[in-house]
Amino acid sequence: MAASSREHVLSLYRLLLKESKKFPSYNYRTYALRRVRDAFRENRTVEDPKVVEGLLNRARDSLALIQRQVSIGKMYEVQKTVIEQEEKKSD
Amino acid sequence: MMNRTLSRKLLGSMCGISSPRLSFAQSAVNTVQRQKELIKSRELEKDELRPLYMDFQATTPMDPRVLDAMLPYQVNYYGNPHSRTHAYGWESESAMEKARKQVADLIGADPREIVFTSGATESNNMSIKGVARFYKAKKNHIITTQTEHKCVLDSCRILEAEGFDITYLPVRNNGLIDLKQLEETIRPDSSLVSIMTVNNEIGVKQPIKEIGQLCRSKNVFFHTDAAQAVGKIPINVSDWKVDLMSISGHKIYGPKGVGALYVRRRPRVRIEPLQNGGGQERGLRSGTVPTPLVVGLGAACEIAQQELEYDHKRVTVLANRLVQKMMSEIPDVVMNGDPDQRYPGCINLSFAYVEGESLLMALKDVALSSGSACTSASLEPSYVLRAIGADEDLAHSSIRFGIGRFTTEEEVDYTVEKCIQQVKRLREMSPLWEMVQEGIDLKSIKWTQH
């Protein structure tokens, strides 16, 4: 039971990160990635199954939200910001 | 595209002039009579990269969660919240009331004490003019500060023309008011004290709790413009004994065109309404409440409450990083405003011997401002900087850096690097800098007209 729920949490985490990477806007993309990582890290030690379920539901809602907002961002895409060029150069 | 001052400086250095030409040095100092053109407004080309956004005090991008909450009310749930006879009205009203609760929870108020407006400017107008005019019979005096937002100062100016007596309290060099002076200024016929929580230009945080205590003890209403503070620092209107508070949507990652006014019910604050009509919003602000906008404001407030600690921690770290780097790499940088009593995300720095507008033009990859957006049209240095006693030339060299929820470390590093680079370059070209390096005391020079 515990093993599968851990798998579940990890797969949700990976999905959230995968979707967040698709944000066309630099600021939204970096925020989503950072916030998702920090939120999962913060709640790493939570034991109470009710609380865990609540958090997972929030994560699922966030996933749907990110998917919608990524689509909207792509519909109204604009030029990249200066810093993205800098990141490319340093890579 | 060069302005006259910059081209003159270049010309001077190209001609190998070692002794500074006082006439154009004077023009750098005597800034009131400058004829230079302002930064030309020009939209970005198709392939031009967008600048980094570091102007969070002017406005903020909408949080994707806020947009997500608003869209259903723009697309399908388009009913008027005041329609009482069908589902469109009922669902719109329930969304409006939910938003009201979200706003109230953020500031520790009761939902019935929140009035939706079109923004903090309208809220400020409503509270100042409303309280003044309602209590006009017995009370004729209003107190505010010299560093308030233009809408507060302008409202007070209008009231002066109506026959009210206004005191504009000065601030100390760190931007904070003197509580003793405030106490002495309050008279038996004072109806309102209006002091903003966090200043939008220099970021200083006034001692609101102490002011509230003072006003309550003297039986004077206390209004605070909290547009820059809501959602960024913890606020509790009961703790602070605030009677009226202005909230702005687009400063907390919400939509533009919406705001709120907190009006205390116990003890009751009476206001003469500015906008009359169908009696919406307790009769204080008639007009259809824009459901999608207030839903956005509510969502922004709820998100701000959840993210307050996380955001505050991040912004503090980034702000310290910016200031440390800047101050350690270049000399003669002054931070305007108290270093401790401040909101960290608003940093106003003055770079001596560099002109603010020139620096902004040189930093075209970063969206910054010198002074507030509402006063940047004129050539005058910001009245806020003047009120804190900043030197005239330092006031013209000031830049405001805004850090927010979406700012990244890379953006801060890029901004700081570019800024340091440009300040050094501009100083090389400055005859004043040259003189200072030679050990001349600029204040002892007698500038003359040619």
Side-chain angles (χ1 to χ4, degrees):
Chain A
M1 200 62 203
S4 71
S5 115
R6 184 173 182 275
E7 292 287 308
H8 193 54
V9 168
L10 279 177
S11 81
L12 244 183
Y13 179 59
R14 267 181 295 232
L15 269 174
L16 276 165
L17 289 182
K18 192 174 92 166
E19 283 304 312
S20 298
K21 287 201 180 101
K22 297 181 187 167
F23 266 116
S25 150
Y26 168 80
N27 289 99
Y28 289 163
R29 184 171 64 242
T30 50
Y31 179 73
L33 286 168
R34 191 187 332 125
R35 193 70 191 92
V36 163
R37 270 196 208 114
D38 289 345
F40 272 78
R41 201 163 287 161
E42 197 184 309
N43 292 308
R44 209 175 29 194
T45 55
V46 173
E47 296 268 312
D48 182 357
K50 278 221 183 89
V51 178
V52 171
E53 193 55 40
L55 289 171
L56 288 179
N57 281 330
R58 254 181 66 196
R60 284 184 209 107
D61 290 340
S62 298
L63 180 60
L65 194 153
I66 294 176
Q67 283 168 328
R68 288 192 294 267
Q69 291 300 315
V70 162
S71 312
I72 293 176
K74 288 199 169 132
M75 281 182 230
Y76 295 98
E77 203 163 339
V78 291
Q79 318 95 322
K80 302 247 165 273
T81 50
V82 172
I83 198 100
E84 291 172 275
Q85 205 64 358
E86 294 288 309
E87 284 190 334
K88 275 217 180 104
K89 275 185 196 159
S90 64
D91 276 342
Chain B
M1 178 206 43
M2 293 214 209
N3 62 32
R4 248 197 267 157
T5 329
L6 198 56
S7 54
R8 271 192 186 151
K9 286 182 186 162
L10 265 183
L11 209 58
S13 56
M14 283 196 311
C15 298
I17 294 172
S18 55
S19 67
R21 296 196 33 217
L22 294 181
S23 59
F24 77 87
Q26 179 198 23
S27 72
V29 175
N30 189 350
T31 40
V32 179
Q33 287 135 19
R34 273 180 312 161
Q35 306 282 310
K36 62 172 282 299
E37 61 185 6
L38 297 165
I39 298 176
K40 252 215 182 88
S41 78
R42 172 190 67 88
E43 286 185 34
L44 291 174
E45 308 269 316
K46 213 169 77 116
D47 294 326
E48 205 176 329
L49 295 173
R50 294 184 74 73
L52 300 184
Y53 193 74
M54 298 285 288
D55 200 11
F56 282 81
Q57 278 68 42
T59 186
T60 56
M62 277 218 290
D63 194 298
R65 293 166 281 193
V66 168
L67 182 60
D68 203 69
M70 284 171 68
L71 279 170
Y73 294 91
Q74 301 276 34
V75 182
N76 292 311
Y77 301 142
Y78 49 77
N80 183 322
H82 314 293
S83 298
R84 301 178 153 263
T85 55
H86 48 71
Y88 289 90
W90 301 325
E91 70 200 358
S92 193
E93 187 189 16
S94 117
M96 178 179 76
E97 293 308 322
K98 177 172 169 204
R100 207 186 292 279
K101 177 130 192 15
Q102 288 167 321
V103 177
D105 282 346
L106 181 59
I107 59 173
D110 187 277
R112 290 168 298 180
E113 298 172 312
I114 303 287
V115 173
F116 288 119
T117 63
S118 68
T121 299
E122 185 185 341
S123 305
N124 284 336
N125 269 265
M126 268 172 74
S127 31
I128 296 174
K129 292 179 185 160
V131 167
R133 288 173 186 160
F134 190 88
Y135 295 96
K136 188 162 56 176
K138 300 242 179 80
K139 301 194 171 190
N140 200 40
H141 182 226
I142 302 203
I143 303 170
T144 184
T145 68
Q146 289 174 2
T147 53
E148 290 297 304
H149 195 263
K150 267 281 162 90
C151 53
V152 170
L153 296 177
D154 213 46
S155 302
C156 289
R157 195 176 57 80
I158 297 289
L159 289 178
E160 265 183 311
E162 284 180 20
F164 286 88
D165 189 14
I166 319 277
T167 304
Y168 301 92
L169 281 178
V171 291
R172 293 180 295 198
N173 282 352
N174 59 0
L176 298 170
I177 59 146
D178 187 337
L179 282 164
K180 208 89 226 331
Q181 197 176 28
L182 174 60
E183 190 171 353
E184 287 160 12
T185 314
I186 296 179
R187 312 195 305 228
D189 69 335
S190 302
S191 59
L192 183 69
V193 168
S194 175
I195 297 179
M196 71 196 320
T197 314
V198 170
N199 188 284
N200 56 319
E201 285 196 41
I202 52 181
V204 292
K205 198 166 60 167
Q206 300 288 354
I208 298 293
K209 196 157 177 189
E210 286 79 10
I211 300 172
Q213 182 89 338
L214 178 59
C215 291
R216 189 56 71 83
S217 69
K218 301 258 181 166
N219 215 12
V220 185
F221 288 126
F222 177 36
H223 163 255
T224 181
D225 177 1
Q228 295 287 348
V230 170
K232 308 216 169 94
I233 57 172
I235 296 183
N236 189 304
V237 290
S238 305
D239 249 5
W240 287 3
K241 299 195 169 53
V242 168
D243 299 305
L244 296 144
M245 178 181 279
S246 304
I247 298 165
S248 173
H250 72 112
K251 303 283 164 45
I252 53 172
Y253 312 96
K256 294 177 185 49
V258 70
L261 176 65
Y262 160 76
V263 184
R264 184 175 279 281
R265 287 176 89 234
R266 293 225 182 96
R268 191 171 222 101
V269 182
R270 307 293 300 274
I271 299 186
E272 199 185 86
L274 270 184
Q275 194 156 312
N276 310 101
Q280 288 86 4
E281 298 297 288
R282 285 163 58 195
L284 296 175
R285 203 270 184 185
S286 299
T288 304
V289 171
T291 310
L293 293 177
V294 305
V295 163
L297 176 61
C301 287
E302 190 176 70
I303 294 168
Q305 191 168 24
Q306 286 167 0
E307 305 279 352
L308 204 143
E309 212 186 299
Y310 178 84
D311 282 344
H312 195 268
K313 225 181 275 175
R314 266 199 86 242
V315 168
T316 311
V317 166
L318 288 174
N320 286 337
R321 192 186 174 90
L322 190 148
V323 175
Q324 308 286 31
K325 264 197 165 172
M326 203 78 87
M327 298 244 177
S328 65
E329 303 259 336
I330 37 180
D332 298 309
V333 180
V334 175
M335 181 157 78
N336 296 306
D338 195 280
D340 301 308
Q341 290 303 315
R342 56 171 27 252
Y343 169 62
C346 174
I347 306 162
N348 192 309
L349 298 176
S350 282
F351 301 93
Y353 321 114
V354 172
E355 227 237 296
E357 295 281 331
S358 313
L359 184 55
L360 280 182
M361 272 197 333
L363 289 173
K364 61 178 179 57
D365 282 346
V366 185
L368 292 165
S369 97
S370 65
S372 75
C374 32
T375 58
S376 56
S378 66
L379 280 175
E380 290 274 310
S382 137
Y383 62 90
V384 172
L385 290 176
R386 194 181 287 135
I388 64 171
D391 265 344
E392 183 81 17
D393 30 339
L394 276 184
H396 277 282
S397 333
S398 73
I399 305 275
R400 177 184 69 188
F401 297 88
I403 298 181
R405 181 181 292 167
F406 301 108
T407 313
T408 63
E409 205 176 277
E410 287 78 23
E411 286 180 314
V412 168
D413 287 344
Y414 182 92
T415 305
V416 168
E417 257 172 61
K418 273 283 150 84
C419 193
I420 292 174
Q421 201 179 64
Q422 296 303 324
V423 165
K424 285 187 173 154
R425 187 184 70 95
L426 287 170
R427 279 181 175 168
E428 298 280 293
M429 295 197 286
S430 162
L432 292 176
W433 178 245
E434 222 180 282
M435 289 161 72
V436 165
Q437 300 292 75
E438 289 170 9
I440 302 173
D441 176 18
L442 292 180
K443 302 233 186 283
S444 65
I445 297 178
K446 282 189 154 42
W447 305 105
T448 56
Q449 288 273 18
H450 276 227

